[in-house]
Structure formats: C-alpha cells, structure tokens
Amino acid sequence: MIARYTRKPFKELWSEKRKFELWLKVELAVCRAWHKKGKIPTQALQEIERRVKVDERTLERIEYYEKIYKHDVLAFVSAIGEQIPEYSHYFHMGLTSSDVVDTALALQLKQALNLIIENVDRLLERLKELALREKDTIMMGRTHGVHAEPITLGLKFLSWYQEMKRNRDRLVRALENISYGKLSGAVGTYSNLDPEIERLALEELGLKVEPVSTQIVPRDRHAEVLWAIGIAATSLERFATEIRHLQRTEVGELQEPFTEGQRGSSAMPHKKNPIHAERVCGLARLIRGYLTTALENVPLWHERDISHSSAERVILPDATTAMDYILNLFIQILDGLVIDRDRMIKNMELSFGLYASSKVLVRLMEKGVPRDRAYDMVQACAMKSWNQKRAFADVLAEDQAIREFLSVEEIRQLIDPKGFLKNIDVIYSRVLGSS
C-alpha cells in the first residue's frame, strides 16, 4: 500500500524486516521443539538463540543470496546460517519453505486482524454515542432518493452500529480460522518431521495445527480473511456514501469535517467537498477487488503451486493496511461531523407533508374503506398536493371523500412526524438493551 494510506503499525507489520523476524521466530520454535525431542543439544540451542538475529546486515545478506538463488526462503536460511556456521545443520531441519512462510504469515494476519478489530471497537463506541445522542433528531427517511417517511438521525447511526457488530463477528471468525500453522514438510506427510515437533512449535507460537495440510495451509482460510475485510469495507462505503449524499448542496443535512486552512478546490474557493468519505469509498472498492484474487488463490495445482504467492505479497498487506486506514479515517469523519438539524426540518417541509400518505391510507382502511379505494383517494390528494405545491393536510381537509371518514383534527394528527417514531424505543432496546 502506498505511504499516503499506510499508518505506522501496518507499515511496521508488513515490512521486510518484520517478515524475516517472524520467519526466524518460527524457525527458533522448531529448533526448541527439536531440542525437546533430543535432536538438538542444549549448548547448540543456546548458541543458536544467542547469535541469530535480523538486523540491517542480515537484510543485506538475504538480498545478496536472493539475487543468486532466486528463492527468498533459501536466501534467508543461508544468511542466518552465516551467523551460526557450526550449528547451521540444525537450522531449518526437516522443513520446507511453506512451513516457515505460511506459519509466519498466520502470525502476521493474526496481528493485523487484532489491530483491525480494535479499530472496529473504537468505531462501535463512537456510533453508539451518536445513536444515543441523536435518537430524537427527526429527519426525512428516503427511498430511491425520494422522501419516504420520517426517521431519526440516531436510528441511522444505530443501523450502522448494528452492521458493524456483524462485521466484528465476521472478523473474529476470520481471526479464529487463520490462526493455523503447518510444519509438516514438503507435501504435508511429515516425511522428515515428527507431528510432535509441529505441535510443540505451534503451541509456542500460539497457533493451532492445520489438521490436513498439503505443502501449504489451504487458501480458503486466507480468502475468508479477505471476505470478512471486504464486507466490513463495503459497510464503511455504505455509511460514507450516505454522508456524501447528505452533504450535497441540495440536501445539506450533514457535512464531514473541514479543518482550518483546508482547501476544497484549486479553481473554486467556496468548495467544501466530502473528500474523506469519497476516499473511504474508493479504497473499499480496492479491498473488494483483492477478495476476487484471494478466491482465485484457493484452487492450486495438486499439493501446491506458487501462483498464489506473488498475489498474496500484494493483496494481504494492502487489504489489511487499507482497512486499517479507512476505519481510522471514518472515525475521524464521525468525530468532526457537522449536523444541521434545522436543515433537516426544512427539508421535511419540501414534500408538503406527503410523508403521511401511508398513515392516512391505513386510517381509512381502519374506518372500513376497501384498500384499493382508500389508496386511490389518498393518491389523488397526494398528486394534487404535489402539483399545486400545497400542504397535504389542507388538500385532505378539502376533499369530500376523505372528510366522510376523517376529521380535520384526525388529519392534523396523522401529519405529525412524531407519530412515525412511537416505536423507536423498541428498536433501541433490541440493539442496546436498557441503554
């Protein structure tokens, strides 16, 4: 991921240095397991643990060897071997490259997902605060971009909160299912290893044993990580798109933060554009694209090929890094969100009270009017109200067919937007309990 969209924790996590440090961590766990099985003497293990390291000199030697070998794991093994020449025969003993790469990758993805889940928790807390604070902030609900019926801004935030809770559940499941390593050799048959070595080493690393591996950990696990991240990113795009719509000049109900000194356009000094919400949307599209590649990495040839390897060097760091970035960016948007409550009320008035058509329809049905006839009666008044730009309540009150069943006072009560929100407490209780 480019530096513009990379925060420090993920820059460090996916650095070459960190990758080799984790490879070394896996190798040392295997050495300790061999020691427990009596294959590596105590003195040799102690010297290996004391001497091996990944520093700038090590990175230079890895780069040197890789130019010759065209194989990064062998380059790593040779570079570490230089640090323990008399004990190098104990290092990488019985392992195949994917044992190290896939097990270390599981450690990286665990850390990445834990960081992402921490950010999701921060977002959930912010959304909960907004949902409670804006619970009674009435605004127009829209379908197809057209006025429908009144809702509250808090209810919109509550919807986002509940969706992010589902995303959190998916991310936690993905974390559980990626927490597997394999140290089972070339095609997963332990031909030069012992299953006990794998168990001991993975236990030390905090990973579970892949029950049936080939030369690799099956890639459906990695695809699930991208699936969980992809859905979460798409949710953020949904929320950001809503903010973008509500920031349009013609709507003007919400506005993302615009800081002092910020400029919106090189040509038009008046512009305040929803650039951060748009950035969330753009990067969410990128993340979803990586899911396609992750799915295509699942069907490999026989016990493995490496067509997945080059793709994963891009999609896994980039997807997790971008997800971390847009989560934090969206939290910043919410922290500085500008809410124009007066504009929300004025916008409701643009449709002359037509949002009450459903309530008038139902009340007529309750009075015994057949549904089709009631629908035609209400629709005729609604069209007249819209075409003449007159208050829906006034048009209803003048209509003789309507007045046979409804009084003027009943009509006024049906127009009151608060009547649409009488059950909001039930929704809040389902989501937040007694909060």
Side-chain angles (χ1 to χ4, degrees), residues 141-199:
R142 299 169 173 90
T143 59
H144 305 275
V146 177
H147 283 199
E149 294 183 357
I151 61 169
T152 74
L153 181 59
L155 193 61
K156 194 181 292 285
F157 289 133
L158 191 68
S159 166
W160 299 358
Y161 172 84
Q162 186 66 14
E163 187 165 333
M164 285 310 301
K165 282 182 64 179
R166 293 193 295 274
N167 283 315
R168 189 187 193 282
D169 290 341
R170 282 186 280 264
L171 289 163
V172 169
R173 288 195 295 271
L175 173 61
E176 175 71 17
N177 286 321
I178 201 60
S179 299
Y180 285 79
K182 62 88 62 179
L183 300 167
S184 53
V187 290
T189 59
Y190 303 95
S191 58
N192 295 303
L193 285 155
D194 180 336
E196 183 65 5
I197 296 296
E198 179 182 57
R199 187 192 69 79

Side-chain angles (χ1 to χ4, degrees), residues 53-101:
K53 60 184 178 296
V54 175
D55 55 14
E56 291 305 315
R57 171 62 177 167
T58 311
L59 296 176
E60 290 173 2
R61 296 304 292 163
I62 292 172
E63 183 179 7
Y64 166 77
Y65 281 117
E66 188 170 3
K67 287 179 180 177
I68 300 171
Y69 299 161
K70 307 297 188 292
H71 195 296
D72 56 354
V73 176
L74 286 177
F76 163 78
V77 172
S78 291
I80 297 298
E82 291 179 344
Q83 299 171 8
I84 46 170
E86 67 272 44
Y87 302 114
S88 63
H89 55 292
Y90 293 127
F91 193 79
H92 199 69
M93 186 167 61
L95 298 175
T96 190
S97 298
S98 291
D99 288 331
V100 179
V101 171

Side-chain angles (χ1 to χ4, degrees), residues 95-366:
L95 298 175
T96 190
S97 298
S98 291
D99 288 331
V100 179
V101 171
D102 281 8
T103 302
L105 182 57
L107 296 175
Q108 279 180 300
L109 288 172
K110 276 187 67 177
Q111 184 176 345
L113 285 171
N114 275 315
L115 289 169
I116 288 170
I117 291 168
E118 287 177 12
N119 289 327
V120 169
D121 287 340
R122 291 174 52 228
L123 176 55
L124 283 169
E125 189 59 35
R126 190 70 184 104
L127 287 171
K128 181 179 179 180
E129 292 171 359
L130 288 168
L132 290 169
R133 192 185 78 190
E134 306 299 332
K135 178 182 176 183
D136 299 318
T137 301
I138 297 177
M139 65 182 298
M140 182 52 67
R142 299 169 173 90
T143 59
H144 305 275
V146 177
H147 283 199
E149 294 183 357
I151 61 169
T152 74
L153 181 59
L155 193 61
K156 194 181 292 285
F157 289 133
L158 191 68
S159 166
W160 299 358
Y161 172 84
Q162 186 66 14
E163 187 165 333
M164 285 310 301
K165 282 182 64 179
R166 293 193 295 274
N167 283 315
R168 189 187 193 282
D169 290 341
R170 282 186 280 264
L171 289 163
V172 169
R173 288 195 295 271
L175 173 61
E176 175 71 17
N177 286 321
I178 201 60
S179 299
Y180 285 79
K182 62 88 62 179
L183 300 167
S184 53
V187 290
T189 59
Y190 303 95
S191 58
N192 295 303
L193 285 155
D194 180 336
E196 183 65 5
I197 296 296
E198 179 182 57
R199 187 192 69 79
L200 289 169
L202 293 182
E203 185 178 81
E204 176 183 326
L205 295 168
L207 298 174
K208 296 181 284 287
V209 172
E210 180 61 50
V212 183
S213 65
T214 58
Q215 193 170 92
I216 61 169
V217 171
R219 256 42 195 179
D220 62 291
R221 296 191 183 278
H222 304 73
E224 185 172 2
V225 171
L226 269 293
W227 173 76
I229 290 174
I231 295 178
T234 302
S235 291
L236 291 181
E237 181 177 4
R238 179 174 90 85
F239 311 157
T241 298
E242 182 68 8
I243 292 172
R244 291 169 60 194
H245 277 309
L246 295 177
Q247 185 164 334
R248 289 183 298 123
T249 304
E250 294 82 357
V251 182
E253 296 177 1
L254 295 181
Q255 180 183 299
E256 70 171 42
F258 194 85
T259 57
E260 184 178 354
Q262 183 176 339
R263 296 185 177 187
S265 167
S266 63
M268 297 170 283
H270 72 279
K271 294 282 281 180
K272 287 185 177 181
N273 301 324
I275 58 170
H276 297 108
E278 289 171 343
R279 191 178 303 162
V280 169
C281 295
L283 291 176
R285 297 168 191 169
L286 186 68
I287 292 169
R288 283 197 300 276
Y290 290 147
L291 172 57
T292 299
T293 305
L295 291 170
E296 292 176 348
N297 282 345
V298 176
L300 302 176
W301 288 16
H302 303 298
E303 278 55 62
R304 66 97 49 128
D305 60 64
I306 61 166
S307 59
H308 67 291
S309 176
S310 54
E312 285 178 356
R313 292 172 192 262
V314 176
I315 65 172
L316 295 178
D318 277 17
T320 54
T321 299
M323 188 68 216
D324 169 73
Y325 178 82
I326 63 175
L327 273 167
N328 281 274
L329 181 59
F330 192 71
I331 292 170
Q332 291 174 27
I333 292 173
L334 293 182
D335 286 343
L337 193 65
V338 178
I339 301 170
D340 192 333
R341 297 170 183 83
D342 292 337
R343 185 65 176 267
M344 291 176 178
I345 298 301
K346 289 179 181 178
N347 284 344
M348 289 183 64
E349 296 169 353
L350 293 174
S351 54
F352 314 111
L354 289 173
Y355 56 76
S357 67
S358 65
K359 279 196 171 293
V360 178
L361 171 64
V362 171
R363 182 61 60 85
L364 289 172
M365 293 168 62
E366 291 173 346

